[in-house]
Amino acid sequence: QKIEQKVNLDTKFSQIFEKNINTDNNTKTEQSNVENLLNFLSNNKFGINNNILDSINKDSIIEFRGFRMKAEVAAKFMELEKMIKQYFPGREITITSGMDGQHMPNSAHYRGEALDFVVEPLTQEESKIVEKLAEKAGFKVYNEYIYDSPYKTGPHMHIQLP
């Protein structure tokens, strides 16, 4: 029965996910479907492997919460977001940049391998905890709550695939 459920889920996933990769005109409904599906997969229902990246093409460029990035970044960010919410309940977590915007030359942003986000409110001391959580989620981190960069637009966390 678990195999049948996995096949059905794979079919459903393909139908939803394939609509959303490498497109510029995604609707809010389609984006919600992708995020719901990523959440569903990460909750390990129906005997699915915990690693949701096993079920998706992690190099596909998708639109996630209004920003373009690789599916792997979105999936890992969702795991990071869960950790942050457990540590800092009630805090607002907002993605501020994906492949868009101005970044350093050759930035991982332009390859879809990075995103910037803020946690509000967040002190500099608390940002060190978020930095460690991001590393635990599998990201390389640059903490722009504490450190400056030439393209800094304000306090935020830069995370990218290693």
Side-chain angles (χ1 to χ4, degrees):
Q1 186 178 2
K2 285 186 180 184
I3 292 171
E4 182 181 314
Q5 290 172 329
K6 174 131 177 58
V7 170
N8 289 340
L9 179 64
D10 287 345
T11 302
K12 180 179 179 183
F13 178 79
S14 293
Q15 290 169 347
I16 294 170
F17 192 73
E18 291 302 320
K19 285 184 190 176
N20 290 280
I21 60 172
N22 299 322
T23 63
D24 291 322
N25 299 319
N26 297 328
T27 66
K28 286 185 184 279
T29 301
E30 290 170 335
Q31 288 305 302
S32 176
N33 285 342
V34 168
E35 189 161 350
N36 288 340
L37 188 55
L38 288 172
N39 275 322
F40 178 78
L41 291 170
S42 69
N43 288 331
N44 197 26
K45 294 183 182 177
F46 300 108
I48 296 170
N49 187 319
N50 273 329
N51 186 354
I52 66 174
L53 296 178
D54 289 346
S55 301
I56 62 175
N57 179 353
K58 62 184 179 181
D59 291 325
S60 296
I61 300 295
I62 64 169
E63 186 170 322
F64 178 71
R65 299 187 188 163
F67 296 94
R68 291 174 49 84
M69 65 191 70
K70 286 188 175 181
E72 179 178 13
V73 173
K76 284 185 174 188
F77 179 76
M78 289 175 63
E79 293 303 313
L80 170 59
E81 190 174 45
K82 287 179 190 175
M83 289 189 276
I84 294 170
K85 286 181 178 183
Q86 284 180 338
Y87 208 93
F88 298 107
R91 305 279 177 102
E92 186 77 26
I93 303 166
T94 307
I95 298 173
T96 58
S97 182
M99 292 177 74
D100 61 312
Q102 275 196 335
H103 306 281
M104 295 178 68
N106 300 316
S107 168
H109 281 280
Y110 300 126
R111 296 186 305 274
E113 296 176 356
L115 66 79
D116 296 334
F117 71 96
V118 296
V119 179
E120 296 178 314
L122 195 71
T123 66
Q124 283 190 348
E125 274 307 303
E126 290 171 330
S127 76
K128 294 175 186 176
I129 296 167
V130 173
E131 183 176 352
K132 293 297 181 198
L133 293 173
E135 289 169 353
K136 184 176 179 183
F139 288 107
K140 283 177 46 179
V141 184
Y142 189 75
N143 185 342
E144 295 192 48
Y145 283 91
I146 297 174
Y147 306 106
D148 285 330
S149 78
Y151 293 88
K152 183 176 179 176
T153 56
H156 68 274
M157 198 67 66
H158 167 89
I159 56 175
Q160 69 183 55
L161 298 176

